[in-house]
Amino acid sequence: MVLGIESSCDETGAGLVRDGKLLGHAVASSMDEHARYGGVVPEIAARAHVHSLTPVVRRALDDAGLTMSDIGAVAVTTGPGLSGALQVGLAGAKGLAYGLGVPLYGVHHLAGHVAADTLEHGPLPDPCMVLIVSGGHTSLLLVRDLARDPIVHLGDTLDDAAGECFDKVARVFGLPYPGGPAIDRAAREGDPKAVAFPRPLTGPRDDPYGFSFSGLKTAAARWAERHSGGELPVADGAASLQEAVADVLTRKAVAACKEHGVGTLVVVGGVAANSRVRSLAEERCQAAGITLRVPPLRLCTDNGAMIAAVGDLLVRAGAEPAPLDLSIDPSAPLEYAALHPVARAARAAAATAA
């Protein structure tokens, strides 16, 4: 049984997975503490992880009806994310792995989002197309064996990620943090055709699978400015913005599936919880004969279960555990599911000794 620990941003998560089955998990969020600042404050997040980590692990074990002695391996997010937040999770995971005498695995946060879908729908098809959409990342990936093979990037965001666009525009619209859910709620009463917001990077000469949401964010801000002094039609603006984001994401994802002959699209990450992203992806996949897989809402946002899912895959694939000097990499690129960076000081000492 693998214990997974997630602490890359403002959620402290712990999950327990064995043979691809989720046994129990728990999450504590510090979102309310960040809301008054309009975004995540790294120091507040790190302190919240310190207070939450042990209770969250205990709650996950209670949820599964298990004890510490049942844990056979520990997996932890080692990047990307907030440096202080990652350090808290790694320190806790190292202590547990050392105290229990079990192997430790470093996991890439985004690979965790990919693996989250396996907890609901079973093993990923080989190959499959994965669209990751979150507050800090928007990527289109070709995935084969998640535990063994390199992950192929077909396209990534060139500036703002989709979730970041939602958060920043929500602030301009006077909506609360976090912006994604607030935009989704407001959009229910609006007209998605009310505002002709641009669809970035969808021209014939553009990057076919790259993403850019900075221009869309600016267009939404300019639209709001034109209503200064009067009542801002927030619902129409939210619905139109959401439609533009969903259109770009799903259009590129379905096109990539067709070009590469892939029959399954997996949409993961926090923005995968957006109602219009989910419904438009379903419409377009159905029309194209593509199978769509999206995790349930509880597994879309950051959680420990997704990290345990990767750890479980790594254990079953016979992957090497992490070294004792495992460190964090706050800006780690997504190349493999396992992420075992070593601290610079340790590397320098090893080089000197050699």
Side-chain angles (χ1 to χ4, degrees):
M1 184 184 70
V2 180
L3 167 68
I5 293 174
E6 156 63 21
S7 69
S8 64
C9 193
D10 58 342
E11 276 98 12
T12 312
L16 297 155
V17 172
R18 179 192 290 129
D19 295 330
K21 304 297 182 183
L22 177 59
L23 305 179
H25 79 119
V27 177
S29 176
S30 58
M31 189 177 296
D32 290 345
E33 298 176 55
H34 304 285
R36 60 176 172 161
Y37 301 102
V40 176
V41 181
E43 179 62 22
I44 292 176
R47 289 176 181 270
H49 290 308
V50 171
H51 292 294
S52 300
L53 185 58
T54 298
V56 161
V57 171
R58 286 175 177 162
R59 280 168 45 205
L61 286 166
D62 289 344
D63 186 43
L66 299 168
T67 66
M68 285 284 188
S69 62
D70 295 309
I71 297 171
V74 177
V76 61
T77 302
T78 47
L82 302 174
S83 179
L86 290 168
Q87 290 282 15
V88 174
L90 178 58
K94 281 185 174 181
L96 286 169
Y98 182 80
L100 295 170
V102 300
L104 175 69
Y105 294 86
V107 170
H108 196 288
H109 175 78
L110 297 182
H113 278 301
V114 178
D117 183 73
T118 67
L119 299 175
E120 182 71 14
H121 300 120
L124 294 169
D126 180 3
C128 64
M129 194 67 62
V130 177
L131 176 64
I132 296 180
V133 275
S134 68
H137 305 275
T138 305
S139 297
L140 194 54
L141 312 170
L142 185 61
V143 176
R144 303 197 74 92
D145 186 322
L146 185 62
R148 296 181 174 91
D149 295 334
I151 295 166
V152 178
H153 288 246
L154 300 180
D156 296 285
T157 185
L158 303 177
D159 41 57
D160 290 355
E164 185 179 0
C165 177
F166 279 148
D167 282 340
K168 290 180 176 177
V169 174
R171 195 169 187 175
V172 172
F173 285 3
L175 296 172
Y177 176 84
I183 290 283
D184 202 351
R185 288 192 298 270
R188 295 170 191 165
E189 306 298 324
D191 178 3
K193 298 180 180 179
V195 189
F197 285 135
R199 271 49 170 174
L201 288 187
T202 53
R205 297 183 181 179
D206 290 333
D207 183 347
Y209 302 126
F211 298 95
S212 170
F213 293 102
S214 178
L216 177 58
K217 173 194 68 178
T218 301
R222 296 292 176 267
W223 173 78
E225 286 175 2
R226 290 197 292 273
H227 288 81
S228 60
E231 184 176 352
L232 180 67
V234 172
D236 285 346
S240 299
L241 175 76
Q242 182 172 263
E243 188 68 21
V245 171
D247 181 22
V248 172
L249 291 172
T250 58
R251 185 190 308 189
K252 287 176 178 271
V254 170
C257 288
K258 291 179 178 178
E259 180 178 340
H260 291 269
V262 176
T264 301
L265 172 64
V266 185
V267 183
V268 299
V271 180
N274 179 270
S275 62
R276 185 52 181 157
V277 170
R278 294 169 83 97
S279 64
L280 190 55
E282 185 174 354
E283 291 173 23
R284 289 180 166 171
C285 283
Q286 186 173 10
I290 296 167
T291 300
L292 175 66
R293 291 174 41 156
V294 187
L297 297 180
R298 63 191 173 89
L299 295 178
C300 285
T301 52
D302 294 350
N303 60 85
M306 69 186 198
I307 304 305
V310 177
D312 176 63
L313 289 173
L314 293 172
V315 169
R316 289 190 282 148
E320 284 292 320
L324 293 177
D325 53 357
L326 176 67
S327 184
I328 62 166
D329 187 347
S331 57
L334 177 57
E335 297 171 341
Y336 287 89
L339 181 62
H340 294 172
V342 176
R344 291 187 180 90
R347 283 199 300 264
T352 301

